[in-house]
Amino acid sequence: MVELRVRTLVTAEEFWHQPDNDKRRELVAGEVVEKMPPGGTHGGIAARFATRLILWRESGHGGYVGVEPGFVLAKEPDTVRGPDVAYVSAERIPEGGVPSAFWHLAPDLAVEIVSPDDTAVEFQDKVRDYLDAGTPLVWVAYPKTREILAHSKDGTARRFGPDDTLEAELLPGFSCRVASLFE
């Protein structure tokens, strides 16, 4: 006898109302994916990215900077990703302000930091999800090599090494030495 398993897909709204289980979760094509929480190195790098972006925002550029906020990137089946750090420009913040639940738009910038247990395929999928949803820029940070790969919506990617200055047309006036994000 063959046993058939039926997958029950979860919507973004159902995912939002699931009880907290102290694990890091995302919703990928309707399926809940659990991961270990990030380690100390990862958390420190995320804090440095967020700090640099907040300082830039507060220098007159406005917008929203958040750590691990949920973004609904696709519907039916739903995909909700929570980048390590995200930026949404002031003009794209909904009329009602920053949502208390998931954002129903793609971030302008998603920052993802590679952890030791992450696979290349997982990261390719994440980057593709952001870009396909309309995110114009995704920064993938590699702690071991202290470099950043900047993925653009046109399909190009640019490498920033430790001695380079990280800049982006999307963030006029933002710049920082790449190595400083990993110290």
Side-chain angles (χ1 to χ4, degrees), residues 5-164:
R5 295 180 109 185
V6 178
R7 283 188 343 178
T8 302
L9 299 182
V10 176
T11 66
E13 290 74 26
E14 292 167 333
F15 182 55
W16 173 254
H17 291 290
Q18 287 186 348
D20 186 11
N21 67 358
D22 291 330
K23 292 189 180 174
R24 191 173 188 202
R25 298 178 289 180
E26 290 183 320
L27 185 65
V28 180
E31 295 188 52
V32 177
V33 177
E34 291 187 350
K35 296 195 72 152
M36 291 296 293
T41 300
H42 184 121
I45 294 167
R48 285 187 286 284
F49 268 101
T51 299
R52 301 297 193 302
L53 287 166
I54 288 168
L55 290 171
W56 171 82
R57 179 198 73 197
E58 290 177 349
S59 72
H61 299 281
Y64 164 88
V65 175
V67 176
E68 295 186 2
F71 290 87
V72 179
L73 301 179
K75 297 292 282 178
E76 297 182 21
D78 294 5
T79 295
V80 177
R81 294 282 190 186
D84 291 306
V85 180
Y87 169 71
V88 177
S89 63
E91 55 272 1
R92 293 189 61 238
I93 293 175
E95 190 175 300
V98 175
S100 59
F102 299 134
W103 289 86
H104 283 270
L105 53 79
D108 291 289
L109 169 66
V111 179
E112 290 285 0
I113 302 160
V114 177
S115 291
D117 64 331
D118 290 323
T119 69
V121 170
E122 287 173 329
F123 260 81
Q124 288 172 340
D125 289 345
K126 281 184 181 190
V127 169
R128 189 176 308 110
D129 285 347
Y130 291 120
L131 296 176
D132 287 351
T135 300
L137 182 61
V138 180
W139 286 341
V140 178
Y142 294 87
K144 283 189 178 181
T145 58
R146 297 166 52 115
E147 58 188 5
I148 297 166
L149 201 53
H151 297 269
S152 300
K153 63 182 174 184
D154 65 4
T156 61
R158 179 176 173 201
R159 179 193 164 276
F160 291 88
D163 296 325
D164 293 331

